[in-house]
Amino acid sequence: MKKYTNTGSKDTRSGFGAGMTELGQTNDKVVALCADLIGSLKFDDFKKNHPERFFQIGIAEANMIGIAAGLTIGGKIPFTGTFANFSTGRVYDQIRQSVAYSDKNVKICASHAGLTLGEDGATHQILEDIGLMKMLPGMTVINTCDYNQTKAATIAIADHHGPVYLRFGRPVVPNFMPADEPFVIGKAIVLNEGTDVTIVATGHLVWEALLAAEALEEKGISAEVINIHTIKPLDEAASLKH
């Protein structure tokens, strides 16, 4: 069984921030919009170095999505940032009408996804965001597992034409994916070969799946682990093949 090493736990939202920093330097079409959560979304460096390409919209998420859709008409690549609940549930109509059905090149980037911010309560948590977004036409849905993969995905989606929902989290989690591994949208990654059982995992649970595979190996069970970082388009072939 292949062993993966935690090279130093980090929060996945910081991977997004690092990706935005690189995009700020390499792609002048990339602009950032934030709904009053600069620190939480790790936009600080992008704002400091590219103030003319950063827009603080305030606590007006629906307006943020509308502005982002409009910016694409001028050839910009807007990345919007707020919590997952406010990125999707609060502004679903605007995303559906102005982004998805209009096929606008907006990158909806969402931190604090799922139950990862328990102390903030149910008003800030969301689990149904993946379902909401993957039902929309043309929408790509990505859920990354660690800092390195989140950074790579952030950079990759700038080159993908079409709406994207990129989902990541607040907690510090193990960082184990290779820093130099390119992110390929829609291509699952087989982390461990196995012959008895297959564990398909996404997001922060990928590391837990690797730990589960190790525990199963101790019991004589060979477990395959697949990292499904792209929910839509889903790599069905990888699951069926393995």
Side-chain angles (χ1 to χ4, degrees), residues 205-224:
L205 293 180
V206 173
W207 177 257
E208 300 301 322
L210 289 170
L211 296 181
E214 289 185 15
L216 288 171
E217 185 182 35
E218 294 175 359
K219 298 179 180 294
I221 300 172
S222 175
E224 177 185 53

Side-chain angles (χ1 to χ4, degrees), residues 5-222:
T5 302
N6 177 11
T7 59
S9 294
K10 299 180 180 180
D11 50 326
T12 48
R13 59 177 173 161
S14 288
F16 169 70
M20 289 302 298
T21 294
E22 184 165 328
L23 285 174
Q25 299 166 352
T26 60
N27 192 333
D28 60 8
K29 291 183 179 180
V30 169
V31 297
L33 297 84
C34 186
D36 199 34
L37 287 167
I38 295 173
S40 293
L41 270 291
K42 306 299 181 181
F43 274 135
D44 310 74
D45 191 72
F46 189 96
K47 178 188 176 185
K48 176 183 177 181
N49 292 307
H50 313 285
E52 76 286 357
R53 289 156 55 194
F54 179 84
F55 303 93
Q56 174 59 276
I57 309 303
I59 306 175
E61 293 85 356
N63 194 32
M64 179 173 67
I65 294 297
I67 293 172
L71 284 167
T72 67
I73 299 173
K76 301 299 182 184
I77 307 173
F79 282 65
T80 67
T82 184
F83 291 0
N85 190 23
F86 310 141
S87 288
T88 58
R90 178 173 287 181
V91 295
Y92 195 68
D93 180 60
Q94 283 73 24
I95 295 172
R96 182 180 186 272
Q97 309 291 60
S98 299
V99 177
Y101 275 91
S102 302
D103 192 32
K104 293 295 191 293
N105 194 30
V106 176
K107 316 306 174 185
I108 301 165
C109 304
S111 182
H112 295 56
L115 303 178
T116 63
L117 63 165
E119 62 271 31
D120 286 353
T123 57
H124 285 54
Q125 300 165 3
I126 191 166
L127 290 172
E128 63 271 29
D129 57 319
I130 291 177
L132 287 169
M133 300 306 283
K134 76 184 185 70
M135 287 189 293
L136 292 172
M139 183 69 70
T140 293
V141 180
I142 297 170
N143 188 37
T144 50
C145 67
D146 68 358
Y147 173 96
N148 285 340
Q149 190 170 72
T150 306
K151 179 182 177 181
T154 302
I155 295 167
I157 64 175
D159 292 327
H160 170 82
H161 184 81
V164 174
Y165 179 54
L166 175 61
R167 183 186 200 260
F168 42 92
R170 171 184 179 177
V172 170
V173 294
N175 187 38
F176 58 96
M177 294 297 291
D180 59 351
E181 181 167 324
F183 187 88
V184 181
I185 296 172
K187 183 67 174 177
I189 302 172
V190 178
L191 298 179
N192 188 60
E193 298 284 353
T195 55
D196 296 322
V197 65
T198 296
I199 304 174
V200 179
T202 186
H204 293 171
L205 293 180
V206 173
W207 177 257
E208 300 301 322
L210 289 170
L211 296 181
E214 289 185 15
L216 288 171
E217 185 182 35
E218 294 175 359
K219 298 179 180 294
I221 300 172
S222 175

